[in-house]
Amino acid sequence: MGVNLENLNPKVHQKIDERQLTDFDENEDVVDAFDEREIFDLIRNINDPEHPLSLEELSVVDQSLIEIDNVKNYVNVQFTPTIPHCSMATLIGLSIRVQLLRALPPRFKVSVIVTPGTHVSEQAVNKQLADKERVAAALENSHLVAVINQCVSEKE
Amino acid sequence: MTSIKLIQTLQGHRGRVWNVSWHPKGKYLGSCGEDKTIRIWINDGTKWITKMILAEGHTRTIREISWSPCGNLIASSSFDSTVAIWELKSGKYECTVSLEGHENEVKSVDWSNSGELIATCSRDKSVWIWERNDDEYECAAVINAHVQDVKKVRWHPNEDTLASASYDDTVKIFKEDSSDSDWNCVATLASHTSTVWSLSFDNTGSRIVTCSDDKNLKIWQEYKPGNDTMIPTPDNISVWKCVCTLSGYHTRTIYDVDWCKKSGLILTACGDNTIRIFREELDSDPNQPTFNLIASNEDAHSQDVNAVQWNPEQPGQFASAGDDGNVQLWFNSD
């Protein structure tokens, strides 16, 4: 790493503040549904496969591009590759998918797509990420799983 | 609307169940999945129980299983890129042969009606045809007609004609050329706008239903040379036309479809957790048929439904498999 970076000087963005917990959040008696901010918190610290930066710092993920419906049980996430021909797009999308599959209850249908108009192979990447059979096969590949685990593990 | 009644939930698999397959006599049900095992279920008189667990045949997910027409053999296809043949020997199925050749995940497997041929397909984009001579299996053809991952292979109910469905959005039909015994693509069914996950022939074999990631079901009709509807058949080869598209019923990817050879009812498995049943309208024009939704169960499984199959002998009974780890038995009645 570091030698053949596709995007040598990515724009680094400001991180948002930590979420402030309220009394309401800590009250165990109220059912508090998942919201966009919680989904964002689950994926903002995923590491970029190339840079020592988080997906949030590279503006690959953004809270405004997350949609969740607790009644219909779906989560839709759009991610924005740093450059339109990023070869890591599928891997980044897969990392987001894996993180959400592991963290959310199984009732949720998770869809991860490229923000429209931000990647040259947008359709091919989206189709690959939506194919659960290919995702399942990829997750049986121990080398790939090791790379993804490295991406999703939070740095100190 | 007719009703879909749950008979029993069959638990035992760990993780996602990918497929269910009935024994040709409908007495046993096979299931397989992520846990690398095949379970064989029987009815002990009051309820369905696990009769056998077939393990250690594969090192990765078992995607699909298929029973030979005689019921003495099971073929299983796996992400480990092999196909295993399990043979019934003194009351037990034992893994006797492993078919190797595909470069990566084998997605589907199906025995021909004669029991002499097996078709397999893979993410390596190829379809293979294997010939069985007693205990010997030989590769008879490697067909590279698709340009992407091949999801499903299904034989014609009476002839040695094969259909395959792919991530390249098409279905292709293959036949053996009797002059040089080469297997050729004789038709490409193009109309779906995303991955075709599965397909099923009707009892005559002259119609096919296909299901897709585009959330549509399509009915295709074969027009043979000399058909009386004046549809041209260049080179004296049958032409397949899409005669009906069922849109707006499924809200997510349709992973499987099964056309009942006895009742003519069409069953679908969908990523929206729902099982649906469609019936052709009486007096429907075969060249422009109408199919109606006659029953559905919206929470058939608590996650995606991956497979559905009608019991070949008991009309109305069918099985389903889901990402929730369950196999379920159902009964549909008027």
Side-chain angles (χ1 to χ4, degrees):
Chain A
M1 282 223 301
V3 189
N4 296 313
L5 292 182
E6 283 184 1
N7 184 3
L8 282 171
N9 293 302
K11 191 166 178 243
V12 179
H13 301 257
Q14 194 77 39
K15 288 204 242 183
I16 62 169
D17 292 334
E18 292 299 315
R19 180 183 181 126
Q20 297 299 312
L21 288 178
T22 62
D23 290 346
F24 179 79
D25 288 325
E26 288 180 358
N27 184 350
E28 298 285 335
D29 297 330
V30 294
V31 178
D32 105 55
F34 286 93
D35 60 18
E36 284 77 8
R37 176 61 203 254
E38 275 173 292
I39 304 299
F40 183 60
D41 282 345
L42 288 169
I43 60 175
R44 60 193 281 222
N45 292 316
I46 295 175
N47 302 303
D48 182 81
E50 288 189 314
H51 297 281
L53 294 164
S54 70
L55 295 186
E56 179 188 19
E57 288 169 307
L58 292 170
S59 210
V60 170
V61 293
D62 193 287
Q63 192 176 327
S64 68
L65 295 175
I66 295 171
E67 196 188 2
I68 179 162
D69 189 314
N70 282 275
V71 178
K72 292 179 179 157
N73 291 318
Y74 68 78
V75 177
N76 296 336
V77 175
Q78 292 183 8
F79 70 103
T80 314
T82 53
I83 43 171
H85 49 271
C86 176
S87 63
M88 296 287 166
T90 310
L91 180 60
I92 292 169
L94 198 54
S95 299
I96 297 171
R97 231 196 126 132
V98 168
Q99 175 75 344
L100 294 175
L101 287 177
R102 288 175 180 170
L104 294 175
R107 65 184 164 94
F108 280 106
K109 311 277 183 188
V110 176
S111 123
V112 176
I113 65 165
V114 172
T115 308
T118 64
H119 196 275
V120 289
S121 322
E122 181 182 323
Q123 270 191 315
V125 172
N126 290 345
K127 191 171 184 179
Q128 176 104 317
L129 289 172
D131 186 320
K132 70 170 186 179
E133 186 184 54
R134 289 166 71 132
V135 169
L139 295 181
E140 288 185 1
N141 175 331
S142 54
H143 171 70
L144 188 59
V145 171
V147 174
I148 291 169
N149 284 343
Q150 214 157 30
C151 289
V152 301
S153 64
E154 287 189 28
K155 289 215 179 82
E156 287 308 310
Chain B
M1 296 278 272
T2 69
S3 77
I4 298 178
K5 209 179 97 200
L6 179 66
I7 302 171
Q8 200 186 324
T9 299
L10 281 50
Q11 288 170 316
H13 279 291
R14 277 168 321 192
R16 168 185 281 158
V17 187
W18 274 115
N19 186 237
V20 278
S21 179
W22 289 98
H23 179 277
K25 295 271 179 290
K27 296 218 160 84
Y28 303 110
L29 177 69
S31 60
C32 64
E34 198 179 3
D35 64 7
K36 310 178 188 77
T37 68
I38 298 167
R39 277 178 180 261
I40 295 173
W41 310 84
I42 58 153
N43 191 326
D44 71 355
T46 52
K47 60 178 192 310
W48 289 78
I49 54 161
T50 301
K51 163 92 173 167
M52 271 177 259
I53 298 174
L54 314 186
E56 287 164 19
H58 291 289
T59 57
R60 290 181 61 187
T61 285
I62 304 178
R63 178 63 181 91
E64 191 170 84
I65 53 174
S66 174
W67 242 294
S68 66
C70 65
N72 291 331
L73 299 157
I74 298 171
S76 57
S77 63
S78 167
F79 284 0
D80 69 11
S81 80
T82 70
V83 173
I85 307 291
W86 307 78
E87 202 175 336
L88 186 63
K89 285 185 172 175
S90 50
K92 279 184 173 173
Y93 283 93
E94 287 172 26
C95 181
T96 52
V97 179
S98 175
L99 306 181
E100 294 175 7
H102 279 295
E103 282 168 31
N104 37 43
E105 298 100 70
V106 189
K107 300 292 179 73
S108 175
V109 59
D110 196 33
W111 289 86
S112 71
N113 177 50
S114 65
E116 287 164 13
L117 299 170
I118 300 173
T120 60
C121 64
S122 161
R123 195 165 71 91
D124 68 13
K125 306 171 189 173
S126 68
V127 171
W128 287 47
I129 292 169
W130 310 77
E131 256 172 23
R132 174 179 173 240
N133 293 303
D134 298 323
D135 290 343
E136 301 282 312
Y137 295 83
E138 202 178 321
C139 174
V142 175
I143 310 166
N144 291 300
H146 284 291
V147 295
Q148 286 287 349
D149 188 355
V150 191
K151 299 295 197 185
K152 196 69 79 182
V153 277
R154 286 289 178 263
W155 289 101
H156 186 287
N158 322 304
E159 300 167 10
D160 287 345
T161 297
L162 182 70
S164 61
S166 166
Y167 188 90
D168 69 13
D169 308 350
T170 70
V171 168
K172 287 181 184 281
I173 313 275
F174 307 101
K175 273 189 182 178
E176 189 177 18
D177 184 333
S178 51
S179 66
D180 55 10
S181 64
D182 270 352
W183 284 80
N184 299 319
C185 175
V186 293
T188 297
L189 284 53
S191 176
H192 280 296
T193 55
S194 189
T195 303
V196 188
W197 277 95
S198 188
L199 70 107
S200 183
F201 281 94
D202 76 346
N203 65 335
T204 68
S206 64
R207 292 201 290 181
I208 293 175
V209 58
T210 55
C211 66
S212 164
D213 179 52
D214 69 13
K215 308 183 183 79
N216 294 332
L217 275 187
K218 286 181 184 282
I219 311 287
W220 306 78
Q221 172 75 46
E222 178 184 20
Y223 292 94
K224 293 188 169 159
N227 66 81
D228 50 21
T229 40
M230 309 293 280
I231 302 235
T233 53
D235 302 328
N236 252 1
I237 297 174
S238 287
V239 166
W240 290 80
K241 285 198 175 298
C242 177
V243 291
C244 175
T245 299
L246 287 120
S247 297
Y249 293 103
H250 300 84
T251 65
R252 288 187 174 268
T253 305
I254 314 167
Y255 289 110
D256 199 15
V257 62
D258 190 34
W259 202 329
C260 184
K261 306 294 179 277
K262 284 198 177 333
S263 66
L265 297 177
I266 292 174
L267 187 56
T268 64
C270 186
D272 61 12
N273 307 356
T274 304
I275 285 170
R276 295 176 177 84
I277 298 175
F278 298 86
R279 182 166 59 200
E280 186 172 6
E281 210 165 81
L282 281 172
D283 307 324
S284 204
D285 173 358
N287 301 303
Q288 282 178 297
T290 306
F291 285 79
N292 298 314
L293 179 71
I294 58 156
S296 66
N297 187 315
E298 289 187 6
D299 301 301
H301 284 264
S302 65
Q303 295 179 52
D304 295 3
V305 190
N306 293 322
V308 279
Q309 198 177 76
W310 292 104
N311 184 316
E313 287 295 321
Q314 301 233 7
Q317 193 181 74
F318 67 91
S320 63
D323 273 357
D324 59 8
N326 292 336
V327 171
Q328 311 220 94
L329 276 172
W330 306 87
F331 193 77
N332 166 241
S333 61
D334 283 315

